[in-house]
Amino acid sequence: MSWLQDITSRLAAAAADPEPLADGGRRWHPMSIADGYVGLALVFAGSDNPADRATAHRLLLRGVRSAHPAHESVFDGLPAVALAGRMLARTPGDYAKLLSSADNATIRIAERLLATEEERLASGRSGVRMQHYDVSFGLAGLGRVLLADVEQHRAVLERTLRYLVRLIEPVTPGRRPVPGWWTPDPAVLNDPVAAARGHLNPGLAHGIAGPLALLALAATAGVEVTGQRAAVARIAEWLLARRGYDEYGPYWPAVVPLEYEERGSVRGLPPSRVAWCYGAPGIARALQLAARAYAEPAWERAALTTLTAALARPWSTTGIRDASLCHGSAGVLHVLSLVARDAASPTAIEPLTRRVRAHLNTFVDPESRFDVRTTPAHWAGVLDGAAGVALVLRGTPPAATTLTWDAALLLA
């Protein structure tokens, strides 16, 4: 039995148990792509085996019938259901009633956030909350749910894009103007760099690379608003200008504290961890999407140079400690697979892919609940657990024919 088959069979057995899948001291959110039955359904949704399809359907409904999580986003609650339902649907009428309800909820959630942010911008108050604009909790992630059905959601999607374009405009929280996505929030990542005066986040999960990916994906789908191309260029150029350099080449720091941004240099900041959530993999994919959307190959070349440098560093410095999708080897491997699929010269990515795949294989753990070592141990979820590893091991799908599970991560 292959490693993928072993993980999948163990997940299927656990999913058949009526007891919750929570473990490792964490809360299981049933109506969640990140850590719940909705995400677990995606592991079985891509199969042509009728038994797997039935399992996916049962898991989705199990999640839907549960209580809502406290926060609703691309990963949790009815927006997650809206995205996952479209991934599971095989014919136009599948899950029609469920999708209608989930879509209406997603629109209401997005409109509430947009109203809050539009009022803030109109009043001239600087300092956006990361959870208002980012992928994991905010409007970049919700925008990807809306993009999954462009015609039905075009009005609120375009309103979301207009907000992200406005978010780029400079603010002056200190001595000099800085980009409008400056936030007074503490960095989500436990980073050695202090940011007492707030920071600018370059990452994909919580930073400006998330809006960049959404703006690029929307443009590729034919959805553009006034100023969108200019906003994409400003984000891309800022990301490329905020790289540090060491003996391995260019890198992105985890965050750019306000005082560094005011002097226009990240000199002295250490490299970020290497992951989907923070660092070169997620940022490089966002830049690649932007480069492809707007025919700017220089952005892609610079992004791939930075990604290559990140994986030239010793493993001990990468921050990769497990197999997970969010911050482990599986997430890096999947980004590399997508980058290689879409790159003008994919052969340059092949050695990196082999190296990361070999590293992922070191996390095979027959003694764990799902045959894979993640943090926390024995976790079933998509972002931090075995389900995400199974999705990655299944392989990169053919280019852009259907909505794929990695849309939730703003990778496609």
Side-chain angles (χ1 to χ4, degrees):
M1 180 180 287
S2 72
W3 191 25
L4 170 59
Q5 290 173 318
D6 195 13
I7 295 173
T8 303
S9 65
R10 293 192 188 196
L11 285 169
D17 192 318
E19 293 300 315
L21 278 162
D23 201 349
R26 295 189 53 167
R27 182 182 174 189
W28 182 254
H29 299 288
M31 195 187 290
S32 173
I33 285 177
D35 294 306
Y37 297 117
V38 176
L40 195 54
L42 301 180
V43 175
F44 304 94
S47 172
D48 291 322
N49 183 322
D52 287 342
R53 297 287 303 166
T55 297
H57 176 75
R58 177 172 53 83
L59 288 168
L60 178 64
L61 294 187
R62 190 172 177 182
V64 168
R65 291 166 181 159
S66 69
H68 291 211
H71 192 99
E72 297 199 87
S73 66
V74 67
F75 288 129
D76 295 299
L78 287 169
V81 169
L83 198 62
R86 285 189 167 79
M87 294 174 189
L88 267 67
R90 290 291 180 98
T91 66
D94 287 351
Y95 301 112
K97 185 176 179 180
L98 174 63
L99 287 174
S100 176
S101 175
D103 284 344
N104 288 336
T106 301
I107 289 170
R108 289 194 299 271
I109 294 160
E111 287 178 336
R112 284 199 300 268
L113 269 180
L114 285 165
T116 297
E117 278 297 278
E118 288 164 352
E119 188 279 327
R120 180 185 67 82
L121 290 171
S123 71
R125 298 195 309 274
S126 61
V128 64
R129 300 295 307 278
M130 284 191 292
Q131 65 180 9
H132 286 171
Y133 82 90
D134 73 3
V135 169
S136 295
F137 300 104
L139 284 159
L142 291 171
R144 187 62 186 89
V145 181
L146 299 169
L147 185 60
D149 190 339
V150 173
E151 294 314 312
Q152 179 159 328
H153 302 139
R154 182 176 289 271
V156 70
L157 174 60
E158 289 182 347
R159 184 178 168 190
T160 301
L161 299 178
R162 285 193 293 271
Y163 157 69
L164 293 175
V165 169
R166 290 182 65 191
L167 185 65
I168 310 308
E169 295 304 315
V171 297
T172 310
R175 295 183 296 273
R176 296 179 181 175
V178 299
W181 65 88
W182 168 79
T183 178
D185 289 348
V188 173
L189 184 68
N190 290 328
D191 190 82
V193 179
R197 297 174 61 209
H199 70 282
L200 293 100
N201 192 316
L204 184 56
H206 302 292
I208 198 60
L212 176 64
L214 177 64
L215 291 165
L217 289 165
T220 300
V223 185
E224 289 196 74
V225 299
T226 302
Q228 186 165 330
R229 184 185 185 108
V232 166
R234 288 169 71 178
I235 297 170
E237 290 161 5
W238 182 87
L239 285 169
L240 294 176
R242 292 299 176 269
R243 292 178 296 170
Y245 292 84
D246 62 13
E247 64 268 34
Y248 301 102
Y251 65 84
W252 280 289
V255 299
V256 180
L258 179 60
E259 56 270 28
Y260 284 81
E261 180 61 27
E262 286 178 329
R263 64 176 180 252
S265 171
V266 297
R267 183 183 294 275
L269 295 177
S272 171
R273 74 192 314 166
V274 179
W276 164 76
C277 53
Y278 278 82
I283 300 171
R285 177 58 176 171
L287 281 165
Q288 184 186 45
L289 291 171
R292 288 167 55 81
Y294 288 107
E296 293 282 357
W299 297 346
E300 181 173 358
R301 288 194 297 270
L304 298 190
T305 298
T306 313
L307 179 57
T308 300
L311 292 169
R313 293 181 174 83
W315 281 115
S316 60
T317 69
T318 63
I320 299 174
R321 301 289 181 266
D322 65 23
S324 70
L325 182 60
C326 180
H327 50 264
S329 291
V332 178
L333 179 63
H334 190 65
V335 171
L336 287 171
S337 298
L338 294 172
V339 166
R341 186 192 71 185
D342 295 339
S345 301
T347 53
I349 308 299
E350 290 171 4
L352 306 179
T353 301
R354 288 194 297 271
R355 186 180 186 214
V356 176
R357 186 177 293 277
H359 192 255
L360 176 61
N361 290 338
T362 67
F363 295 115
V364 176
D365 185 1
E367 299 303 314
S368 73
R369 187 180 186 187
F370 301 112
D371 201 39
V372 58
R373 191 160 72 252
T374 58
T375 306
H378 316 304
W379 190 244
V382 166
L383 275 189
D384 296 326
V389 179
L391 287 166
V392 171
L393 290 176
R394 184 157 286 145
T396 305
T401 54
T402 59
L403 185 68
T404 52
W405 62 266
D406 47 7
L409 281 73
L410 272 288
L411 293 173

